[in-house]
Amino acid sequence: MWTARFWKQTAERAVKTAAQVLLLLWASDGVFNILTVDPTTAAGVAAGGAVLSVLTSLVSLPVGPKGSPSMVSGVGGVVVGRLEVSAPAGFKPSTKAIEDEIRRGGGQ
């Protein structure tokens, strides 16, 4: 929990959740109209979603992989530069396999 990686992953989840909540709020009247939503309400709802996401990450600590905000173990990938290539836990692909996956556009 006290690692930079944990907090980066937690922050990413919180930002995504806040964005999803805003999209839900904006589309709640059946029309995607950002101009009809009160900015204070939108900020409050987004912040609430982000807080719930952070709390979920903290609660997930004893369940998922050690030091991860995820509740699911065995999901991961191999990071090549800034690209994460999907791979089962423990899988160590060869350089050729990684290059092939990048060429196919995998991991995006």
Side-chain angles (χ1 to χ4, degrees):
M1 175 171 129
W2 304 115
T3 65
R5 180 179 178 181
F6 172 83
W7 288 108
K8 281 182 183 178
Q9 291 175 344
T10 298
E12 177 188 11
R13 285 172 166 76
V15 168
K16 287 179 180 180
T17 299
Q20 291 167 345
V21 169
L22 279 176
L23 288 173
L24 178 66
L25 179 66
W26 290 333
S28 64
D29 63 356
V31 179
F32 185 78
N33 188 349
I34 190 172
L35 301 176
T36 62
V37 177
D38 175 46
T40 305
T41 300
V45 170
V51 168
L52 290 175
S53 177
V54 170
L55 292 175
T56 302
S57 293
L58 291 171
V59 170
S60 302
L61 271 170
V63 179
K66 184 176 180 171
S68 170
S70 177
M71 293 183 92
V72 182
S73 62
V75 176
V78 178
V79 177
V80 181
R82 300 187 101 179
L83 173 69
E84 181 173 340
V85 180
S86 299
F91 178 70
K92 304 290 184 211
S94 67
T95 304
K96 181 174 179 351
I98 293 171
E99 291 169 353
D100 290 346
E101 185 71 13
I102 292 169
R103 270 194 292 282
R104 284 196 311 269
Q108 296 181 16

